[in-house]
């Protein structure tokens, strides 16, 4: 069996995203001699952003790539859950940013890297530029017995999934067994986390309703630039931190403006999580780690 | 005539949305409003004015016009939203049923400053 990722490796990923083990997912039962696997979720790189909230705006993504590459045991794949780039009204600049982002992440050792758009990438042109560089904005794939579904709730600038994609989701779910381990990736939360800051998906409840009959569903998303864990019934929703700047907790600040950079405590407010589980109980256990090694 | 929540009906050049005192229904009106009309301009990336003060229980008409692109007015605490289409007035009848300060925002991604495009509604007794 492969050497498991250790605490030092986790710390290398401090502030850079989420590490998710298959054994931490409900419904995944590893057979004798079967390797566990894990994937890394990276989110909200906002390539192209410039400003005081991150004096290292040009360097953070490259550091994330280096940190992932330095892991002794490499993840099976990496998932970027949107906002690869920071929005721009200029379509030429948008493509330049997407191109630069793609060039930087090309250095990842792991060659299975999957992408989905955030509203910064896709909402101004319905995902056109994103698709030119990264292909489809919603799709499925299977990996070692886990069914993964990537849902696009950003290409519509109204923050909707849309009936067409919901129909596609329904058709895909029909092919799944009731107890199949299913992981859903989205950019925005599927539930109303805080609509006052647009932290919601207008028709997200329809997707959650479709997923509800399935016993082992976990949702990973980005958008809010911070750890957040929420349950809709038996479905867990986990938000990842961003790679550019943290945002305030919902409603805890007058606006959703990025938190200021603290030179005394760089990367303050960032961190990472480990998701592990008692597979028999199909119950996630979340361990939070501070961003700075004590 | 009573419609479901968030249902809009285009009346001539204006969209009129009525929010009941409980925020529980939306209805359309075609008559000229008797209530005070508060005009709000939406443009990248501001609402002007950005602060609106109302009295609890007193109905008003919020009249929106976009100066550039499609915007979406959203006042989540009253469960109401409406598209603001350039070249048209969007009217929204609101009877606040609670006091406090509430955020309204643009909920259609409209550009680089979209995330800062919000305002404040204050309702007093």
């Amino acid at each position: 069996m492969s050497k498991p990722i250790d605490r030092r490796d986790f710390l290398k990923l401090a502030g850079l995203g989420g590490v998710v083990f298959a054994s931490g997912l409900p419904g995944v039962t590893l057979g004798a001699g079967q390797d566990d696997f894990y994937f890394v979720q990276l989110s909200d790189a906002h390539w192209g952003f410039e400003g005081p909230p991150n004096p290292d705006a040009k360097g953070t993504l490259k550091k994330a790539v280096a940190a992932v590459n330095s892991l002794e045991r490499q993840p099976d794949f990496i998932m970027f859950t949107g906002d690869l780039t920071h929005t721009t009204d200029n379509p030429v600049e948008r493509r330049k940013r997407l191109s630069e982002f793609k060039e930087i992440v090309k250095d990842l050792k792991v060659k299975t890297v999957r992408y989905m758009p955030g509203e910064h990438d896709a909402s101004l042109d319905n995902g056109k530029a994103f698709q030119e560089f990264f292909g489809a904005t919603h799709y499925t794939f299977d990996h070692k017995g886990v069914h993964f579904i990537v849902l696009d709730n950003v290409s519509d600038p109204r923050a909707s999934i849309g009936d067409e994609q919901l129909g596609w989701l329904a058709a895909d779910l029909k092919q799944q067994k009731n107890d199949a381990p299913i992981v859903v990736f989205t950019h925005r939360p599927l539930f109303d986390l805080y609509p006052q800051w647009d932290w919601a998906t207008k028709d997200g409840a329809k997707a959650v309703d479709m997923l509800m009959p399935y016993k082992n569903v976990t949702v990973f998303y980005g958008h809010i630039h911070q750890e957040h864990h929420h349950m809709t019934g038996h479905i867990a929703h986990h938000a990842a931190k961003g790679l550019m700047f943290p945002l305030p907790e919902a409603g805890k600040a007058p606006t959703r403006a990025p938190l200021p950079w603290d030179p005394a405590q760089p990367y303050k407010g960032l961190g990472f999580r480990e998701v592990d589980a008692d597979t028999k109980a199909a119950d996630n256990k979340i361990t939070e780690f501070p961003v700075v090694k004590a | 005539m009573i419609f479901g929540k968030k249902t809009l009906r285009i009346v001539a050049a204006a969209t009129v949305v009525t929010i009941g005192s409980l925020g529980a229904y939306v209805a359309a009106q075609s008559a000229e409003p008797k209530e005070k009309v508060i005009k709000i301009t939406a443009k990248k990336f501001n609402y002007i004015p950005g602060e609106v003060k109302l009295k609890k229980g007193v109905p008003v008409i919020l009249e929106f016009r976009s100066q550039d692109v499609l915007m979406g007015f959203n006042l989540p605490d009253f469960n109401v939203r409406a598209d603001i289409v350039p070249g048209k007035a969007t009217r929204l009848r609101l009877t606040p049923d609670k006091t406090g300060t509430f955020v309204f925002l643009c909920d259609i991604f409209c550009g680089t400053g979209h995330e800062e495009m919000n305002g404040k509604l204050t309702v007093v007794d």
Side-chain angles (χ1 to χ4, degrees):
Chain A
M1 189 173 282
S2 302
K3 184 182 174 186
I5 190 168
D6 62 19
R7 184 176 174 82
R8 273 183 306 176
D9 275 347
F10 275 124
L11 289 169
K12 286 177 186 170
L13 289 171
L16 301 176
V19 179
V20 182
F21 281 89
S23 60
L25 300 170
V28 173
T29 305
L30 299 171
Q34 186 184 354
D35 279 0
D36 192 6
F37 77 89
Y38 80 100
F39 64 87
V40 168
Q41 179 193 6
L42 299 175
S43 202
D44 297 273
H46 284 265
W47 182 255
F49 172 85
E50 291 181 21
N54 189 340
D56 188 28
K58 298 274 187 209
T60 308
L61 178 59
K62 292 168 186 170
K63 286 184 173 69
V65 169
V68 174
N69 283 344
S70 73
L71 296 174
E72 191 170 336
R73 180 186 165 195
Q74 289 287 289
D76 277 25
F77 65 87
I78 292 164
M79 183 75 212
F80 277 96
T81 47
D83 281 355
L84 317 178
T85 61
H86 197 68
T87 194
T88 167
D89 294 340
N90 181 343
V92 175
E93 175 66 18
R94 185 175 309 127
R95 285 166 175 79
K96 180 171 175 279
R97 292 180 186 184
L98 286 162
S99 173
E100 289 171 350
F101 173 91
K102 195 171 184 179
E103 190 64 27
I104 292 166
V105 302
K106 201 171 70 181
D107 288 340
L108 284 162
K109 280 186 197 168
V110 177
K111 291 308 169 197
T112 305
V113 184
R114 300 180 193 277
Y115 306 91
M116 63 185 301
E119 81 280 11
H120 279 250
D121 307 304
S123 283
L124 290 180
D125 65 1
N126 303 111
K128 189 170 183 293
F130 175 91
Q131 289 176 58
E132 289 169 16
F133 286 86
F134 298 105
T137 61
H138 65 278
Y139 52 93
T140 65
F141 62 97
D142 293 281
H143 187 78
K144 295 183 179 174
V146 180
H147 186 60
F148 294 87
I149 302 171
V150 179
L151 278 183
D152 172 5
N153 53 6
V154 298
S155 289
D156 179 349
R158 299 167 183 273
S160 291
I161 300 166
D163 289 343
E164 188 177 340
Q165 192 182 175
L166 287 168
W168 166 87
L169 173 64
D172 178 73
L173 288 172
K174 268 188 185 172
Q175 309 301 314
Q176 306 305 318
K177 290 181 182 171
N178 175 263
D179 61 350
I182 295 172
V183 169
V184 177
F185 294 115
T186 67
H187 180 68
R188 295 169 170 275
L190 288 178
F191 62 97
D192 280 355
L193 171 54
Y194 197 59
Q196 290 84 347
W197 287 358
D198 212 16
W199 289 1
T201 301
K202 286 197 178 62
D203 50 1
K206 290 182 181 175
V208 172
D209 286 348
M210 287 180 187
L211 293 163
M212 205 54 83
Y214 296 85
K215 289 180 357 190
N216 299 304
V217 178
T218 312
V219 181
F220 295 93
Y221 67 100
H223 191 54
I224 67 167
H225 297 220
Q226 62 194 282
E227 287 267 353
H228 191 274
H229 309 283
H230 177 82
M231 300 295 293
T232 53
H234 63 284
I235 300 174
H237 303 251
H238 304 292
K241 296 164 187 64
L243 292 172
M244 188 57 83
F245 47 77
L247 292 173
E249 280 184 57
K252 297 287 177 67
T255 68
R256 55 183 150 159
L259 292 172
W261 177 268
D262 182 352
Q265 301 179 73
Y267 302 102
K268 183 185 175 188
L270 302 180
F272 66 94
R273 68 164 181 266
E274 172 189 359
V275 181
D276 206 340
D278 176 343
T279 55
K280 287 179 186 169
D283 181 24
N284 277 333
K285 290 176 182 170
I286 310 294
T287 306
E288 307 290 350
F289 292 88
V291 69
V292 180
K293 193 174 179 180
Chain B
M1 189 170 186
I2 295 175
F3 295 81
K5 283 181 187 174
K6 300 177 187 174
T7 299
L8 307 182
R9 179 175 161 191
I10 306 299
V11 181
T15 305
V16 182
V17 184
T18 304
I19 306 303
S21 59
L22 296 176
Y25 70 93
V26 174
Q29 293 190 335
S30 58
E32 279 302 307
K34 295 174 185 172
E35 298 85 355
K36 181 182 177 184
V37 176
I38 298 171
K39 295 188 176 183
I40 300 175
T41 299
K43 66 171 193 175
K44 291 183 175 181
F45 297 98
N46 293 292
Y47 283 111
I48 304 168
E51 290 190 39
V52 176
K53 288 188 179 173
L54 300 178
K55 282 194 171 181
K56 182 183 171 185
V58 178
V60 296
I61 299 288
L62 302 177
E63 183 180 294
F64 298 93
R65 288 180 187 274
S66 170
Q67 286 194 348
D68 34 51
V69 298
L70 178 68
M71 307 283 191
F73 174 79
N74 194 336
L75 181 59
D77 290 288
F78 289 82
N79 199 24
V80 59
R81 75 163 306 281
D83 287 357
I84 309 171
V85 181
K88 292 167 70 173
T90 295
R91 285 180 174 176
L92 190 154
R93 186 174 185 273
L94 175 67
T95 307
D97 63 346
K98 53 192 168 191
T99 59
T101 300
F102 309 96
V103 172
F104 58 85
L105 67 151
C106 174
D107 71 354
I108 297 179
F109 197 90
C110 58
T112 52
H114 165 74
E115 285 155 352
E116 286 82 50
M117 188 167 169
N118 50 50
K120 203 161 64 174
L121 170 67
T122 301
V123 182
V124 296
D125 278 320

